[in-house]
Amino acid sequence: YMPYAGQYDAYALADVLYGDYAPTGRLASTWYADMSAFPALSRYSIPEGQTAIKLEDVDPRYSVDMTNADPIESSLTYMYTKAPVTYEFGYGLSYSSFEYGNLEAPSAVGGEEPFQVTIDVRNTGGTETSEVVQLYVKHNDPAYGEHAPQKELVAFEKVRIAPGETRTITLTVDPEDFAVWDVHSGELVVEDGPYALMVGASSEDIRQTRTI
């Protein structure tokens, strides 16, 4: 898939296809495996007050509600979905391979000051290229239940690594990014308790995990 990316896009694509440049892009959305991931069209999907059109009047080819933009209610995006996906958030191809190890993080952190996480990444392939190291977080026992994200991207870094080289990547994390909206207090809240830090190459390709 090659969208219009400017007058130099064909030359750039040729470089990737012929191996003169390794692809390093990552998906910023979730590509679902089929339509079952989307909420079904129901009578509640028809705009309130609409009397001219009833659910039985809708063309049967249109079976899903594409107007529901609430990711929690619709169980969509990588943060909430449990549906099968073809390509997950953060997915991307490479002409090399990478090994992750030695995830280090503070044993405990406060809710206000940023902290740092380090991870060693080794290029185990034969091509010098970049890896996009992604750090996700989740609360292990959230008070908000299913309304809390099952994982959330809080930091990432794109780093170029030569074949056989190992680099230590430092990711700075802001605890405020852990916050969830509390409807009772009307503000963002950072919950106390244990969090899992998950580092990997995509939202599903997690290589190292640590609890803080």
Side-chain angles (χ1 to χ4, degrees):
Y1 174 63
M2 185 65 184
Y4 179 68
Q7 61 184 5
Y8 211 66
D9 61 346
Y11 192 97
L13 177 60
D15 276 351
V16 171
L17 293 177
Y18 280 92
D20 296 326
Y21 183 84
T24 60
R26 299 294 181 266
L27 284 181
S29 59
T30 300
W31 291 42
Y32 298 97
D34 53 53
M35 297 295 283
S36 66
F38 298 95
L41 190 67
S42 70
R43 64 189 181 90
Y44 297 105
S45 304
I46 306 298
E48 186 177 357
Q50 172 61 263
T51 58
I53 299 177
K54 298 179 181 179
L55 182 61
E56 53 267 26
D57 298 326
V58 178
D59 191 313
R61 291 176 299 174
Y62 303 109
S63 59
V64 298
D65 180 11
M66 300 299 292
T67 67
N68 190 343
D70 186 332
I72 300 178
E73 182 181 342
S74 59
S75 297
L76 293 178
T77 79
Y78 77 97
M79 296 169 64
Y80 299 99
T81 190
K82 294 180 174 62
V85 301
T86 302
Y87 303 111
E88 70 273 14
F89 176 87
Y91 173 86
L93 296 174
S94 178
Y95 289 153
S96 197
S97 56
F98 299 89
E99 184 178 272
Y100 289 60
N102 300 323
L103 174 61
E104 296 290 342
S107 58
V109 298
E112 299 178 355
E113 295 296 325
F115 63 93
Q116 292 185 330
V117 174
T118 61
I119 183 82
D120 290 343
V121 181
R122 178 178 175 81
N123 185 340
T124 56
T127 302
E128 180 174 353
T129 184
S130 296
E131 173 72 331
V132 181
V133 181
Q134 304 166 41
L135 172 60
Y136 297 84
V137 66
K138 72 172 181 178
H139 196 291
N140 286 338
D141 187 24
Y144 299 94
E146 294 184 354
H147 297 287
Q150 59 188 3
K151 65 168 67 83
E152 184 175 7
L153 180 69
V154 293
F156 66 92
E157 187 71 36
K158 184 174 183 177
V159 58
R160 193 165 186 83
I161 309 175
E165 179 186 11
T166 298
R167 295 192 60 180
T168 299
I169 314 304
T170 299
L171 300 168
T172 300
V173 185
D174 189 344
E176 289 187 0
D177 292 334
F178 300 3
V180 294
W181 181 259
D182 188 293
V183 296
H184 301 292
S185 63
E187 60 183 1
L188 291 167
V189 174
V190 178
E191 285 193 86
D192 294 333
Y195 285 82
L197 300 178
M198 301 169 286
V199 181
S202 76
S203 59
E204 292 190 5
D205 187 5
I206 301 299
R207 308 290 184 87
Q208 294 270 294
T209 303
R210 178 163 182 168
T211 298
I212 61 171

